Amino acid sequence: MKKLLFIINPMAGRQQAQTDLYKMVKIFSDHDYEVTVYPTRARLDCTQKVLEDAGRFDLVVCCGGDGTLNEMVSGMMQRQDRRPMGYIPLGSTNDLAVSLRLPTRVEEAALRAVTGNEFHMDVGTLNDRYFNYIAAFGAFTETSYATPQEIKNALGHLAYILEGVKSLGKIQPIHVRITADGEPFEEDYLFGAVTNTISLGGVLKLDPEKVLLDDGMYELLLVKNPTNAIEAQAMLTALMTQNYDGPLVKMLRASDITFESSHEISWTIDGEYGGTFSHTHILNNKNAVTLIV
């Protein structure tokens, strides 16, 4: 019998992982897996469990939000013998699950994890950290990791918007020197993101025909700092209409990107705090892990 390590975040999705635990385990068992269940207890618990024990299993599946998935992949990236992974999305936004077209119902997602096809996904490194779908700095990026879990559970996307509005008065442009696959840029930016997803925070959308999670390339979204109300309105219009080729909002594609600033910049990685750096190197590791989708 094959062995499956099932890691759950007990707090994700209004504690739905606990409620539906039996249903998910039964689906795994019905497909000839001996299941070991591991509930996480603290931040990075999932990463440590995968790093230490994944080699004893044929498949590792996590149930939680984008942060839980990040931890599972981060642990697997540190192993030589990387195992295939499944994902049952139960978070507040589940951006990567949207890009992977994973089912939203728990039973369907559990079934997909043991019957789906292998997908070799790119994984990013930001200095010494791993990320699956986004590394971002600037306006609103603190919102995702500063919003309390109970508020995320209760309000979903609205929680991010409410917390983001609180920070509007504190937004300051960030002067950054960027080198993307050898091409230099230098400007005052309100927001910047290196992404591999068609959904950002469940709000901004990217073209699913152009965004591929296995092509070794990232989309680099840069939003310049507007200097007056007219430019601010133009910036918002460009973002909401997905016009990413204007004077204030620009999107590029690159696999090796460096950010340099005279002061330290705070980063968000897959919705969690990712560290503060004055020099940031982001690299796309093509087809680094295997997901069952």
Side-chain angles (χ1 to χ4, degrees):
M1 181 175 283
K2 296 173 290 185
K3 293 186 176 182
L4 186 153
L5 173 60
F6 187 34
I7 302 174
I8 68 168
N9 177 352
M11 301 307 296
R14 302 181 179 91
Q15 302 182 14
Q16 188 180 353
Q18 298 178 64
T19 304
D20 292 334
L21 179 59
Y22 173 75
K23 296 178 184 177
M24 294 183 283
V25 171
K26 185 177 187 305
I27 290 171
F28 300 152
S29 297
D30 288 345
H31 287 80
D32 300 323
Y33 280 97
E34 178 184 310
V35 184
T36 299
V37 178
Y38 183 81
T40 60
R41 296 160 294 179
R43 184 175 174 272
L44 299 181
D45 203 11
C46 177
T47 295
Q48 193 62 32
K49 183 65 175 176
V50 171
L51 182 57
E52 292 178 354
D53 293 340
R56 299 193 292 110
F57 296 88
D58 300 287
L59 177 65
V60 179
V61 179
C62 76
C63 179
D66 292 326
T68 305
L69 178 63
N70 174 280
E71 289 195 16
M72 179 176 69
V73 171
S74 295
M76 199 64 74
M77 285 292 291
Q78 297 175 64
R79 297 186 60 88
Q80 294 296 320
D81 56 338
R82 295 174 187 168
R83 297 294 193 257
M85 294 172 286
Y87 176 38
I88 301 173
L90 277 184
S92 304
T93 55
N94 302 317
D95 280 324
L96 191 60
V98 173
S99 298
L100 293 170
R101 296 179 175 84
L102 292 177
T104 55
R105 293 185 66 249
V106 165
E107 295 94 331
E108 293 177 7
L111 183 61
R112 183 75 64 85
V114 289
T115 62
N117 299 314
E118 289 192 352
F119 177 74
H120 304 294
M121 187 180 77
D122 301 343
V123 176
T125 51
L126 185 153
N127 293 345
D128 60 349
R129 293 282 303 274
Y130 296 102
F131 68 96
N132 295 322
Y133 74 96
I134 186 169
F137 68 88
F140 296 104
T141 53
E142 290 185 6
T143 299
S144 57
Y145 61 80
T147 306
Q149 183 65 50
E150 58 270 21
I151 296 179
K152 293 180 185 179
N153 288 345
L155 300 179
H157 293 157
L158 179 58
Y160 294 96
I161 296 172
L162 291 176
E163 290 294 319
V165 168
K166 289 182 186 178
S167 69
L168 276 174
K170 299 182 291 183
I171 292 175
Q172 296 292 329
I174 302 172
H175 190 81
V176 189
R177 295 180 298 277
I178 302 171
T179 306
D181 285 350
E183 187 175 356
F185 305 89
E186 187 168 353
E187 189 62 73
D188 289 336
Y189 294 104
L190 196 64
F191 174 82
V194 178
T195 74
N196 207 21
T197 177
I198 62 172
S199 174
L200 297 178
V203 179
L204 294 182
K205 303 295 182 181
L206 304 183
D207 187 348
E209 298 298 322
K210 297 180 180 179
V211 177
L212 302 176
L213 279 63
D214 60 350
D215 65 350
M217 301 294 288
Y218 282 130
E219 282 65 46
L220 171 59
L221 177 64
L222 298 171
V223 180
K224 291 184 182 180
N225 182 52
T227 58
N228 54 55
I230 295 176
E231 287 190 351
Q233 182 59 52
M235 176 200 71
L236 290 172
T237 300
L239 288 171
M240 300 314 295
T241 59
Q242 302 181 37
N243 179 12
Y244 303 133
D245 192 26
L248 291 168
V249 180
K250 185 173 289 293
M251 180 169 286
L252 314 164
R253 300 186 79 241
S255 61
D256 190 327
I257 310 167
T258 301
F259 300 81
E260 297 174 284
S261 178
S262 59
H263 60 280
E264 293 192 333
I265 299 172
S266 293
W267 286 83
T268 297
I269 293 176
D270 291 348
E272 305 291 337
Y273 177 66
T276 303
F277 313 99
S278 58
H279 184 279
T280 304
H281 180 217
I282 292 179
L283 185 67
N284 184 303
N285 299 278
K286 186 177 180 180
N287 302 164
V289 296
T290 300
L291 290 180
I292 307 300
V293 299

